Amino acid sequence: MSNYRDIQSATRVEKFRIWFAWASGNIIMLIIANATRSIDVVSTITQALTVVVFLALTVAAFRMTNALNRKAAAARREVLGDDA
């Protein structure tokens, strides 16, 4: 049985990685959208893709964060003996 502090630390690190990847992905898409700003058709397509990528990354980040929260809560219950 692992220590709850270890699980909590690992969860915190993973959450940081998830949200760093989310920010990096969105920044990359904004850079691409800005680079294609002067080309009419490509600009429209990249703007649409930017919105889609933002939504996909946001949904994925929240789902992964929630899964980590559930895992940490289960570990907490196991370590502390809570049944709630």
Side-chain angles (χ1 to χ4, degrees), residues 11 28 33 48 68-69:
T11 301
I28 290 169
L68 282 172
N69 287 340

Side-chain angles (χ1 to χ4, degrees), residues 1-73:
M1 177 168 71
S2 36
N3 188 2
Y4 179 63
R5 182 186 301 252
D6 296 337
I7 294 169
Q8 201 174 22
S9 297
T11 301
R12 186 172 38 253
V13 169
E14 286 301 316
K15 284 181 184 179
F16 176 76
R17 288 180 182 170
I18 290 168
W19 289 107
F20 183 76
W22 175 85
S24 299
N26 284 317
I27 288 170
I28 290 169
M29 278 307 298
L30 289 173
I31 290 170
I32 292 170
N34 191 31
T36 60
R37 183 176 56 195
S38 61
I39 307 170
D40 292 334
V41 175
V42 177
S43 176
T44 305
I45 292 169
T46 54
Q47 286 176 1
L49 283 175
T50 300
V51 171
V52 169
V53 167
F54 172 77
L55 291 175
L57 287 173
T58 302
V59 168
F62 273 108
R63 288 183 56 132
M64 292 170 70
T65 302
N66 288 337
L68 282 172
N69 287 340
R70 285 191 301 274
K71 184 178 178 182

